[in-house]
Amino acid sequence: MAPLIALLVGSALARLAGLAGISALDGWHPALRVGLALMFALTAVAHFDGRRRGDLIAMVPPRLPRPDLLVTATGVLELVGAIGLLVPATVRIAAAGLALLMLAMFPANVSAARRRLTLAGRPVTPLAQRTALQLVFVAAAVAISFGP
């Protein structure tokens, strides 16, 4: 739920900043970019946080090799994508790349839900709820990639 909160609160605060006169944030599109960047910065940190890293490694489907390396690589890609969302020249490619990354990582969420794993001591998000969240996150990235 924290990623959704980061997306919504980050976007809302950025939009308010735009309404308050910060021209770079004037509009839904730039505000959404900030919210999505905040969300991915938050999720990227979890890939390296000792309290969650082991759980994320366990989420990788067992058939995939080197789950530790995959978790590191996806964390780096999330962080690079978050930065790319804030750079006007790279916004579209960063958003498209993040949408594809989310689609590529979704099987780990499915695997974790089916195996009833935990994340930071709590059960992972149930599959139906996770699917709905994933659709929201991918839609936000696609809206940025194809937006104004």
Side-chain angles (χ1 to χ4, degrees):
M1 198 56 65
L4 179 62
I5 293 168
L7 173 64
L8 296 175
V9 171
S11 297
L13 291 175
R15 184 64 188 115
L16 288 172
L19 292 171
I22 299 175
S23 61
L25 298 175
D26 191 18
W28 70 268
H29 192 261
L32 185 59
R33 286 174 37 207
V34 170
L36 198 61
L38 180 62
M39 182 192 90
F40 274 107
L42 175 73
T43 59
V45 168
H47 289 242
F48 305 101
D49 176 11
R51 295 170 292 166
R52 291 183 177 87
R53 183 171 171 79
D55 292 340
L56 290 175
I57 290 169
M59 287 176 66
V60 176
R63 68 183 181 278
L64 296 177
R66 295 294 311 269
D68 58 331
L69 183 60
L70 290 172
V71 168
T72 299
T74 54
V76 168
L77 289 171
E78 287 180 356
L79 192 54
V80 168
I83 293 166
L85 289 172
L86 302 176
V87 178
T90 61
V91 168
R92 291 182 193 280
I93 192 73
L98 288 167
L100 292 173
L101 180 64
M102 286 186 279
L103 294 175
M105 293 188 317
F106 189 66
N109 292 293
V110 172
S111 175
R114 286 185 176 162
R115 293 185 289 144
R116 294 188 170 101
L117 298 181
T118 61
L119 183 59
R122 295 181 172 168
V124 297
T125 307
L127 191 53
Q129 185 180 353
R130 181 63 206 183
T131 301
L133 287 170
Q134 197 78 4
L135 289 172
V136 169
F137 300 152
V138 171
V142 169
I144 291 169
S145 186
F146 291 102

